[in-house]
Amino acid sequence: MFSKFKIKEESSRNIIRLITGTTIAHAIPIAMSPILTRIYAPEEFGIFALVMALSSILGTIVNGRYELAIMLPEDDNEAFNIAALCVAVAAVFSVLILVLVIFFNRQIVQLLGSDDIGIWLYFVPITVFLIGFYNVLVFFNNRMGKFADIAKSSIYKSLSLVVVQISIGLLKRGSVAGLVIGQIMSVFSGNLRLLKNVHSSFRREAVISIPEMKRMASRYIRFPKYSILSGLANTLTTHAVNVLISILYSVTTLGFYDLTQRVLGVPSALVGNAVGKVFLQQATKEKRITAKALDSFNSTAQKLIIIALPVFVSLFFIVEDMFAFVFGENWRIAGTYTKILIPLFAIRFVVSPLSHVVVCFEKQRIGLGWQVGLLSLAMMTIIFAGWVELSFIVFLVHFSIIISIYYIVFFVILLLISRGKI
């Protein structure tokens, strides 16, 4: 019988390892944010948000979503071939993006409605490839239980990010260069730390071949078949909304909103992502033994709720004054946006890490259906807001309520999957 005590003990130990590292990693850019908001203007953050929106959307599908399958095979050699498959797909995909940027740069600029973004589109292909490579390395290190190294890679990423962004920002004010190049160097430095573990294991065990890569591609075909659309829908929910905010409102509004997202994303970055990685590992183990993942699900959900309540409730009462004090009085409006979105981010903080149960039980169709529904709701909400000319604050209120309810429904679905009811 699967030991509940063993799940909780091992899960808690791994979560602590990840949280310790990721807390340091995310404390660094947050601590430096007051400097960045005084070096870069909201408009520059808005352009950077557009570049990152494109990179994040494409980075979600750059590996064909095969990276999600790295955790599943019992045979390590199969996992290595899946990882090699991911890198090959990412390389081809990134080259195709570069070709599109070269030949259709003007059309893309006109579509996005920002003349200043043209030159920065050329940085998207390399960013996308590095994101894809990083995702492969994270999943493989997760498979090996290298949680401490995953945390260290986050620290390296954060250090590179703030050093480059501040340095270039001070040397060349009024330019998005520091923000974009800093992001690229951030992902690159994170890759170096995680690659060391994979390379060490590769020399001892792996036999990679094209026939085996093809076999893995066929074996796990459900991941690109269903998870590409699912992952794309999930990313579009956030980043397509960013693009539409820029088009329907302004790049400056997007700059304020982008800071809101980054601040509210801190709890998920510090705790939620770490909990999600450990939950996936523990749920996979439990499923192999009991065909369920209920103990892992319940234990993880309890931890997340206990963490979420004090953090988000406290933030609700102080966030507007906090933004004005920390980032400067001209950023107070971003604090108002943040206060409106706190309930949504609190619910998402609990639900998102638990969504890994969809991967564990290979319920890609359910994940796809839910993500498409989420994207549809988000897009309809902002398009309707633009159509009837709602103010941005009124739009945020509607958006927060509608998406919060939808996440609660998803939580119930995930619980049923963990019980083997779906």
Side-chain angles (χ1 to χ4, degrees):
M1 182 177 180
F2 198 82
S3 170
K4 295 182 181 180
F5 177 76
K6 184 176 181 181
I7 290 176
K8 293 180 179 180
E9 181 182 28
E10 185 175 354
S11 174
S12 298
R13 187 166 56 246
N14 290 333
I15 288 173
I16 290 172
R17 290 171 182 165
L18 281 174
I19 290 177
T20 300
T22 52
T23 298
I24 298 172
H26 287 86
I28 294 171
I30 290 299
M32 295 297 104
S33 290
I35 299 176
L36 291 172
T37 54
R38 287 166 173 83
I39 294 175
Y40 299 98
E43 294 87 348
E44 290 159 2
F45 275 108
I47 295 170
F48 175 61
L50 275 178
V51 174
M52 289 312 301
L54 295 174
S55 300
S56 298
I57 291 169
L58 297 170
T60 301
I61 61 174
V62 67
N63 299 318
R65 300 294 281 176
Y66 277 114
E67 75 273 17
L68 297 174
I70 290 174
M71 291 287 297
L72 301 183
E74 293 188 27
D75 185 349
D76 285 340
N77 194 68
E78 291 186 351
F80 272 111
N81 279 275
I82 295 172
L85 172 66
C86 290
V87 175
V89 172
V92 173
F93 189 76
S94 299
V95 171
L96 290 176
I97 297 172
L98 179 60
V99 171
L100 291 175
V101 170
I102 291 173
F103 288 100
F104 299 99
N105 186 279
R106 181 176 299 178
Q107 290 85 342
I108 298 172
V109 168
Q110 292 175 346
L111 180 64
L112 295 175
S114 175
D115 295 335
D116 296 325
I117 200 175
I119 187 64
W120 306 113
L121 291 174
Y122 292 97
F123 289 84
V124 171
I126 182 62
T127 305
V128 169
F129 177 78
L130 290 174
I131 289 173
F133 195 36
Y134 182 74
N135 289 338
V136 172
L137 294 174
V138 166
F139 273 94
F140 211 103
N141 277 266
N142 193 11
R143 175 186 175 87
M144 295 187 293
K146 302 290 185 179
F147 298 105
D149 289 330
I150 294 174
K152 289 177 183 177
S153 75
S154 298
I155 296 174
Y156 297 155
K157 286 179 65 181
S158 294
L159 286 171
S160 300
L161 179 70
V162 298
V163 168
V164 175
Q165 288 185 339
I166 291 176
S167 299
I168 296 180
L170 290 173
L171 291 172
K172 193 174 183 181
R173 287 180 176 269
S175 172
V176 189
L179 295 172
V180 175
I181 296 174
Q183 184 63 40
I184 292 174
M185 294 306 300
S186 170
V187 184
F188 180 77
S189 62
N191 285 349
L192 291 179
R193 184 64 185 88
L194 296 178
L195 184 61
K196 181 179 178 181
N197 292 334
V198 178
H199 182 257
S200 176
S201 182
F202 171 80
R203 288 184 298 176
R204 297 194 309 267
E205 302 171 9
V207 178
I208 294 176
S209 65
I210 293 179
E212 185 65 8
M213 289 166 60
K214 289 181 178 179
R215 190 175 75 84
M216 291 297 99
S218 176
R219 164 65 180 85
Y220 294 102
I221 191 63
R222 280 178 292 181
F223 285 92
K225 187 176 181 181
Y226 299 111
S227 293
I228 279 182
L229 292 177
S230 177
L232 189 58
N234 182 36
T235 305
L236 282 171
T237 301
T238 298
H239 295 290
V241 168
N242 286 0
V243 174
L244 287 175
I245 287 173
S246 175
I247 295 172
L248 297 175
Y249 293 96
S250 69
V251 173
T252 301
T253 299
L254 175 58
F256 289 126
Y257 180 72
D258 179 62
L259 182 61
T260 290
Q261 287 185 302
R262 285 188 284 125
V263 170
L264 283 179
V266 169
S268 294
L270 295 181
V271 180
N273 291 340
V275 173
K277 289 182 179 69
V278 176
F279 170 66
L280 176 58
Q281 186 197 50
Q282 296 302 322
T284 301
K285 289 181 180 179
E286 184 180 356
K287 181 202 167 192
R288 288 172 182 168
I289 298 173
T290 68
K292 297 180 181 180
L294 185 58
D295 292 336
S296 301
F297 187 94
N298 288 341
S299 175
T300 303
Q302 290 170 9
K303 290 184 178 75
L304 291 166
I305 292 171
I306 291 172
I307 294 169
L309 284 175
V311 171
F312 286 99
V313 170
S314 300
L315 191 61
F316 182 85
F317 290 102
I318 66 171
V319 67
E320 290 178 291
D321 291 333
M322 183 188 78
F323 266 66
F325 176 76
V326 174
F327 304 114
E329 185 62 36
N330 60 321
W331 290 89
R332 179 180 287 273
I333 187 63
T336 302
Y337 297 164
T338 303
K339 188 173 184 177
I340 294 170
L341 292 173
I342 280 176
L344 168 59
F345 273 76
I347 294 170
R348 195 165 76 178
F349 172 82
V350 174
V351 177
S352 292
L354 298 172
S355 65
H356 287 293
V357 78
V358 172
V359 176
C360 179
F361 283 81
E362 298 187 50
K363 298 292 183 179
Q364 285 86 358
R365 289 187 181 182
I366 293 176
L368 172 59
W370 185 83
Q371 292 291 357
V372 170
L374 178 63
L375 173 61
S376 300
L377 280 176
M379 297 297 286
M380 286 190 293
T381 303
I382 189 169
I383 291 172
F384 176 78
W387 181 46
V388 300
E389 298 183 346
L390 294 178
S391 70
F392 188 66
I393 288 180
V394 174
F395 154 69
L396 285 182
V397 171
H398 286 83
F399 183 79
S400 183
I401 293 172
I402 292 170
I403 304 303
S404 293
I405 294 172
Y406 197 65
Y407 265 98
I408 292 171
V409 172
F410 190 42
F411 177 85
V412 176
I413 294 172
L414 295 174
L415 178 61
L416 293 174
I417 292 175
S418 71
R419 291 180 175 178
K421 301 294 185 181
I422 297 180

